[in-house]
Amino acid sequence: MITDDTTVNGVRIGGAEAGSDQGARTIELPSGARAEVRKGYGRDLMRAQRATAGGDANAVVFALIAEVTRVDGRKIVYEDVLEMDLADVMALQAEVIDENFDRPPQRASQASSNQDSQSRS
């Protein structure tokens, strides 16, 4: 059996992640290393939460970075993120949290909407 075909509960294990080529961005880290950050999925968050059983939100973010990132072509693990230079971690955190996920457009706050309608009266 080819490792790319191995799944557990419908989740591909071994080999390339399903859809890893789609939506991946390559960034150069401050250290000069190249990181490929792929689009995240719910299963990635679930794995990150399992890896950090204590529920510490910061640890979950580090584990999530490890789930969706390859550095210089190799898969990384949570402990690798802990050992990275701070500048690299911050760059990856910004990519994973801020830029990797589509966010709905922000709605105007209720207070600003009321002020706009009052100024037109």
Side-chain angles (χ1 to χ4, degrees):
M1 176 185 268
I2 301 172
T3 49
D4 284 349
D5 293 338
T6 304
T7 61
V8 174
N9 294 332
V11 176
R12 184 180 309 260
I13 60 170
E17 286 288 331
S20 63
D21 297 325
Q22 299 172 353
R25 291 175 38 122
T26 301
I27 62 170
E28 185 169 338
L29 298 175
S31 67
R34 297 183 64 81
E36 180 181 301
V37 182
R38 68 171 173 77
K39 178 181 175 184
Y41 296 93
R43 67 178 171 260
D44 299 313
L45 180 58
M46 183 174 284
R47 287 182 195 148
Q49 290 170 331
R50 284 181 183 156
T52 58
D56 177 9
N58 293 317
V60 171
V61 171
F62 277 41
L64 186 57
I65 288 169
E67 285 293 327
V68 300
T69 304
R70 290 183 172 271
V71 176
D72 290 336
R74 71 174 182 84
K75 183 77 176 109
I76 61 172
V77 295
Y78 175 78
E79 291 78 10
D80 293 330
V81 180
L82 295 175
E83 296 300 320
M84 285 182 173
D85 290 340
L86 181 59
D88 286 356
V89 174
M90 297 297 287
L92 287 170
Q93 185 173 4
E95 182 67 23
V96 169
I97 299 302
D98 295 334
E99 298 174 16
N100 192 36
F101 301 102
D102 296 330
R103 293 185 178 179
Q106 291 184 346
R107 296 181 357 192
S109 69
Q110 186 67 27
S112 65
S113 296
N114 288 341
Q115 288 174 356
D116 289 342
S117 63
Q118 289 174 355
S119 64
R120 288 185 234 156
S121 316

